[in-house]
Amino acid sequence: MIGEVKVYLRFLKDVVGIEYMRGAEDNKKTESLQELKREVEECNRCPLFRTRTHVVFGEGNEDAEIMFVGEAPGREEDMSGRPFVGKAGKLMDEVFEKIGLKREEVYIANCIKCRPPENRNPRPEELLMCFPYLERQIEIIEPRTIVCLGKFATQQLTGSMLSISILRGKTMRYRDVTVIPTFHPAYLLRNPQAIDAFKDDLIKAMNI
Ligand code: URA
């Protein structure tokens, strides 16, 4: 029933141009996210809690229709406590600007909430320990589409072990949410020829 009401409200917003006001249900969303954030900030489920400066919980629009999921915080993110604020994030912001997408409209999170030392790849046990937090973020935000940035997010949410170069361009699913697998912005820094494909994927996500 709630799902049908949400679809109707989205119809009103997209087709008729009427946006509903935030109500009690939305305040519950804010509270649930804050509660989860407090829990993650105290997390010591894996050894990464010893080396982190800040937990990078995620941020953005709690009513986002598009949610971005990256891999793990890097140095700048660990320092600031905010996702995608380093070079890769700046590149992502540039692409957002080109296609008319605003950071305030979306929600950005990572598979792993604490920085792996020296930006090494997340370990399977770290991904496993952190996954329930990401699952709860998705449950609370209820995005229409999740853009998976790179192989770790794609593998974690879709279960597919295929490489991102094979999965990119496909439309997948995580529960009842559409998943768009795409390149990680850090890959785009090294391979700028892939930026157009990334841009196309984001446009696809916006049009769902
Ligand atoms: N790379 C990620 O995957 N996440 C960030 O927040 C920053 C860089």
Side-chain angles (χ1 to χ4, degrees), residues 59 68 74-80 82-99 101-103 108 149 184-190 195 198-199 202:
E59 65 180 23
F68 286 79
R75 199 173 68 89
E76 283 84 355
E77 290 77 18
D78 175 64
M79 296 303 289
S80 65
R82 300 185 53 217
F84 284 98
V85 291
K87 273 191 196 152
K90 299 248 161 20
L91 175 62
M92 196 161 82
D93 288 343
E94 282 171 27
V95 176
F96 279 11
E97 181 150 8
K98 277 195 192 125
I99 62 172
L101 186 62
K102 295 196 174 59
R103 247 197 198 235
I108 306 178
L149 302 166
H184 192 284
Y187 172 85
L188 302 176
L189 288 170
R190 301 187 299 272
I195 293 177
F198 179 74
K199 209 194 294 173
L202 268 48

Side-chain angles (χ1 to χ4, degrees), residues 2 13 40 54 57 64 106 114 165 178 184 187:
I2 287 180
K13 182 174 163 226
V40 181
H54 290 108
F57 177 71
V106 303
C114 301
S165 49
T178 304
H184 192 284
Y187 172 85

Side-chain angles (χ1 to χ4, degrees), residues 34 36 42 88 97 109 135 167 174 192 204 206 208:
Q34 278 171 357
L36 179 60
E42 288 178 7
E97 181 150 8
E135 284 188 298
L167 296 177
Y174 165 75
K204 186 163 125 191
M206 288 165 79
I208 284 170

Side-chain angles (χ1 to χ4, degrees), residues 66-166:
I66 306 179
M67 179 165 173
F68 286 79
V69 178
E71 183 181 314
R75 199 173 68 89
E76 283 84 355
E77 290 77 18
D78 175 64
M79 296 303 289
S80 65
R82 300 185 53 217
F84 284 98
V85 291
K87 273 191 196 152
K90 299 248 161 20
L91 175 62
M92 196 161 82
D93 288 343
E94 282 171 27
V95 176
F96 279 11
E97 181 150 8
K98 277 195 192 125
I99 62 172
L101 186 62
K102 295 196 174 59
R103 247 197 198 235
E104 313 86 80
E105 286 170 356
V106 303
Y107 195 92
I108 306 178
N110 282 304
C111 294
I112 300 263
K113 313 299 189 207
C114 301
R115 182 193 183 202
E118 310 305 325
N119 295 351
R120 64 159 168 74
N121 284 342
R123 295 186 174 142
E125 64 276 19
E126 293 161 356
L127 287 159
L128 198 70
M129 290 294 146
C130 227
F131 191 44
Y133 296 138
L134 179 61
E135 284 188 298
R136 277 162 67 193
Q137 277 174 307
I138 296 170
E139 262 168 41
I140 297 169
I141 294 161
E142 298 183 287
R144 195 196 300 218
T145 307
I146 298 176
V147 177
C148 285
L149 302 166
K151 98 170 168 188
F152 288 99
T154 306
Q155 285 180 356
Q156 189 143 48
L157 289 180
T158 68
S160 172
M161 299 308 276
L162 295 175
S163 73
I164 194 68
S165 49
I166 293 175

